[in-house]
Amino acid sequence: MLHAEITSPEIESNYVLEPVFTSRITVVRDFLQSCSVNSIIDINLTRKMTQKGGAPFLHSLFIFLSMLSSLCDCHPHPAQSNSSMATVRAVSNHTTKKASDIAAEVAGYADVAKQIIDLAVFGAAQNRSYRRLADFTDTIGNRVSGSQNLEMAIKYMYKAITQDGLDVHLEPVKIPHWVRGKESAEMIVPRPKSLAILGLGSSVGTPPEGIEAEVLVVKSFEELNRRASEAVGRIVVFNQPFVSYGETVAYRAFGASEAAKVGAVATLIRSITPFSINSPHTGWQDYKDGVKRIPTACITMEDAELMWRMAQRGQKIVVRLTMGAETLPDADSFNTVVEIKGWQHPEQVVLLSGHLDSWDVGQGAMDDGGGAMISWEALSLIKDLGLRPRRTLRTVLWTAEEQGGVGAQQYYNLHKVNMSNFDLVMESDLGTFAPMALQFTGSDAARKVMEEVVKLLAPINMTKLETHGEGTDISPWMQSGVPGASLHVADSRYFWFHHTEGDTMMVQDPQDMNLCSALWAVVAYVVADLEDMLPR
Ligand SMILES: [Zn+2]
């Protein structure tokens, strides 16, 4: 590793180290010392905000020589004036091109799109993303926020991507550290039966001897409130029907606080899934401020229905719940960032992403190992073909997505100063099954461009553009007006395995991953290489 102390007055007068990073440079350095590869660390600098003669922010910093020649979106080159940056932006954002010109320009990429598809689906890279995912999940296993496994996962990927010949760096993030501990639940009355449970992320534990209480079974928040007086001192079981993940997940997220408000001592929540083989599904939950924090876990659809039927018959049900869950101090982690620098507008970015963390059950192969691997694979394919687009292609493997997009939110806070340079943000986090369409959020003018881009996917019969790009990790950008895209795959089985022991390599298919990788690479490369950024 090489480093140098910054002494250049030019740099000192133009940049200040992002305050949040000052204390973390050492963290990155220490973290990477255990990787047996040469490390390139990109320290994010932002243009000095203080007035001349303001607080003396800049102490001597250690900085890796690589960054002096390789500045990302956060660090406009000192030699480049503000006015020249503004010109680049104005030129690249102009939207006066005629539709026919855009169609002709995009159609000019048919050959290169075909090369990417051939390499990914039929050529030397066939099944590579699947093999990479299998190696990764077999070696590391699951990797929940704050865990040793997540740390190992980041080191593994850092090393593997470096060996692949791509530029990779890490950006520090503070992340939640919740541990499950030992947990169990059993029905005692009307008959002994063990219940399969998974405590929910951020839940408090029970006393060591557990909580034993009579159960109140309800089907909705409305029923809970109507029967509020019956909830006092009880364990509330929610047996809400599955409507859609987006709608039904409210029971997992807020069930504990809603039940605590009416005096419940714990909650057991029917897993958020349309299908079950007695499988409990975990996930994050949110305690409301000012409401007592009670232990909360998911139970299986089967057990929720069983207790509902018993309650309907007027049978008394007693359950004992024991959970060793606790929340430890926040941990150090990293977003893993991979780049192919643009040759013409290196400061402009097309971002591809998936998250590296998972829950602490299963292998996190589907959620979201697949999304992370195709986002790496896309850059591998482009590199292998010797391609380099006008703009920078940047893959970000987020950390701590499952705790509410923690890594992505910190990334957004740090990089939003360069919002106008973000051309397109992409996320794959709904599985890497057979691709059906690209989902896109952006202006009508941008949509017209994207409709042309997906036509390049005709060789794999995937030319559909849908509305509503989605993804926890890219939503802050899309809410701020940056065009966003996500993968729509044949995901009817996604929530069968989501956040369970069943999320393993068994649910992945190599050919599906080839197609996802090809789609991801073609879209990212072509958008990054068009003359103009997507119109906002
Ligand atoms: Zn996910």
Side-chain angles (χ1 to χ4, degrees):
M1 282 195 285
L2 299 164
H3 67 259
E5 197 167 340
I6 291 186
T7 51
S8 156
E10 183 188 28
I11 292 179
E12 283 193 11
S13 63
N14 279 306
Y15 296 104
V16 64
L17 188 66
E18 182 72 20
V20 70
F21 274 23
T22 316
S23 60
R24 301 211 198 136
I25 298 170
T26 326
V27 176
V28 186
R29 195 175 49 209
D30 292 350
F31 180 79
L32 284 171
Q33 267 167 358
S34 50
C35 294
S36 57
V37 288
N38 289 327
S39 311
I40 299 165
I41 299 176
D42 191 329
I43 300 168
N44 277 264
L45 301 178
T46 53
R47 194 157 278 278
K48 199 167 186 172
M49 297 299 182
T50 51
Q51 299 294 324
K52 254 198 168 160
F57 273 124
L58 203 67
H59 310 299
S60 61
L61 1 138
F62 286 92
I63 182 166
F64 291 79
L65 281 177
S66 62
M67 79 144 294
L68 295 176
S69 61
S70 147
L71 300 166
C72 81
D73 65 284
C74 258
H75 349 115
H77 195 280
Q80 195 163 22
S81 71
N82 275 337
S83 62
S84 72
M85 290 292 287
T87 309
V88 165
R89 237 167 254 161
V91 168
S92 65
N93 278 331
H94 90 92
T95 58
T96 52
K97 258 192 186 168
K98 282 189 296 191
S100 57
D101 292 344
I102 291 170
E105 187 191 354
V106 175
Y109 288 92
D111 282 350
V112 76
K114 182 83 170 34
Q115 283 175 40
I116 293 171
I117 291 166
D118 283 347
L119 178 61
V121 182
F122 310 107
Q126 188 186 50
N127 300 350
R128 182 168 64 186
S129 57
Y130 177 90
R131 281 198 306 272
R132 284 174 170 176
L133 180 59
D135 276 357
F136 173 67
T137 54
D138 291 350
T139 305
I140 306 294
N142 61 45
R143 43 208 183 271
V144 73
S145 180
S147 67
Q148 193 93 47
N149 274 23
L150 178 56
E151 211 171 280
M152 280 160 48
I154 294 167
K155 287 177 182 170
Y156 176 102
M157 290 298 282
Y158 183 91
K159 191 170 171 179
I161 295 169
T162 302
Q163 285 169 349
D164 185 33
L166 287 162
D167 284 339
V168 54
H169 70 265
L170 304 177
E171 298 188 1
V173 176
K174 280 280 184 201
I175 60 171
H177 190 187
W178 173 83
V179 290
R180 174 176 305 285
K182 274 212 156 104
E183 57 187 19
S184 65
E186 54 190 337
M187 188 164 72
I188 295 162
V189 176
R191 67 176 170 93
K193 180 188 186 302
S194 75
L195 306 172
I197 65 162
L198 281 175
L200 296 180
S202 82
S203 177
V204 297
T206 63
E209 69 279 13
I211 292 174
E212 188 175 312
E214 194 176 337
V215 160
L216 169 69
V217 189
V218 297
K219 281 212 152 182
S220 65
F221 289 134
E222 186 274 324
E223 184 182 356
L224 174 70
N225 290 328
R226 190 156 35 83
R227 301 177 64 185
S229 63
E230 297 173 60
V232 179
R234 301 270 188 97
I235 294 174
V236 168
V237 169
F238 285 98
N239 181 37
Q240 77 289 337
F242 181 83
V243 181
S244 68
Y245 185 76
E247 187 175 329
T248 313
V249 76
Y251 285 89
R252 190 189 79 204
F254 308 120
S257 284
E258 290 305 307
K261 281 184 199 167
V262 291
V265 294
T267 47
L268 294 174
I269 296 158
R270 172 173 160 153
S271 290
I272 313 303
T273 179
F275 178 79
S276 179
I277 308 178
N278 206 45
S279 43
H281 297 233
T282 190
W284 193 247
Q285 70 92 35
D286 275 311
Y287 287 126
K288 290 207 167 112
D289 287 344
V291 179
K292 186 168 188 246
R293 297 176 168 218
I294 59 172
T296 180
C298 268
I299 55 174
T300 67
M301 283 172 75
E302 288 88 338
D303 286 336
E305 287 280 313
L306 168 73
M307 288 191 272
W308 168 255
R309 290 192 301 273
M310 287 174 164
Q312 291 303 103
R313 293 184 201 112
Q315 285 175 293
K316 178 179 171 176
I317 306 165
V318 176
V319 164
R320 186 189 302 121
L321 173 68
T322 310
M323 290 172 62
E326 58 179 325
T327 297
L328 304 175
D330 282 355
D332 288 313
S333 189
F334 307 89
N335 289 321
T336 305
V337 183
V338 192
E339 283 193 335
I340 295 175
K341 283 272 183 231
W343 63 267
Q344 188 175 31
H345 304 299
E347 75 287 359
Q348 296 176 359
V349 177
V350 168
L351 185 148
L352 307 87
S353 68
H355 64 86
L356 218 49
D357 66 300
S358 72
W359 277 104
D360 58 341
V361 292
Q363 305 291 288
M366 179 193 79
D367 183 13
D368 181 29
M373 289 303 154
I374 66 161
S375 297
W376 167 22
E377 178 69 20
L379 264 58
S380 295
L381 293 166
I382 289 158
K383 166 188 65 71
D384 290 353
L385 289 167
L387 299 169
R388 188 179 176 198
R390 287 175 202 275
R391 295 179 195 82
T392 294
L393 284 169
R394 180 180 301 163
T395 286
V396 185
L397 308 178
W398 312 109
T399 192
E401 186 277 345
E402 298 291 3
Q403 284 61 35
V406 177
Q409 188 61 49
Q410 291 182 40
Y411 181 89
Y412 174 78
N413 293 344
L414 196 62
H415 292 264
K416 66 184 174 188
V417 63
N418 295 292
M419 181 94 64
S420 59
N421 280 326
F422 280 74
D423 189 7
L424 174 66
V425 291
M426 301 162 65
E427 176 172 5
S428 165
D429 188 19
L430 278 171
T432 45
F433 304 128
M436 314 277 284
L438 188 73
Q439 300 166 313
F440 179 72
T441 293
S443 65
D444 287 349
R447 172 166 300 279
K448 292 225 157 50
V449 178
M450 294 305 289
E451 279 167 359
E452 299 302 323
V453 171
V454 294
K455 287 179 186 169
L456 299 168
L457 295 161
I460 49 172
N461 198 20
M462 217 301 310
T463 57
K464 204 163 151 200
L465 189 73
E466 295 177 343
T467 51
H468 301 307
E470 61 176 301
T472 305
D473 297 313
I474 57 170
S475 61
W477 297 95
M478 291 192 294
Q479 281 160 16
S480 302
V482 175
S486 53
L487 258 186
H488 179 188
V489 298
D491 57 4
S492 60
R493 295 175 301 136
Y494 183 80
F495 289 107
W496 298 11
F497 306 108
H498 184 246
H499 299 181
T500 71
E501 291 290 356
D503 179 356
T504 71
M505 284 307 291
M506 291 297 291
V507 306
Q508 296 293 138
D509 176 79
Q511 175 65 359
D512 288 350
M513 290 190 71
N514 294 338
L515 295 170
C516 289
S517 300
L519 181 159
W520 221 221
V522 168
V523 169
Y525 175 77
V526 173
V527 172
D529 199 56
L530 290 174
E531 276 175 32
D532 301 331
M533 283 176 69
L534 293 174
R536 295 283 164 95

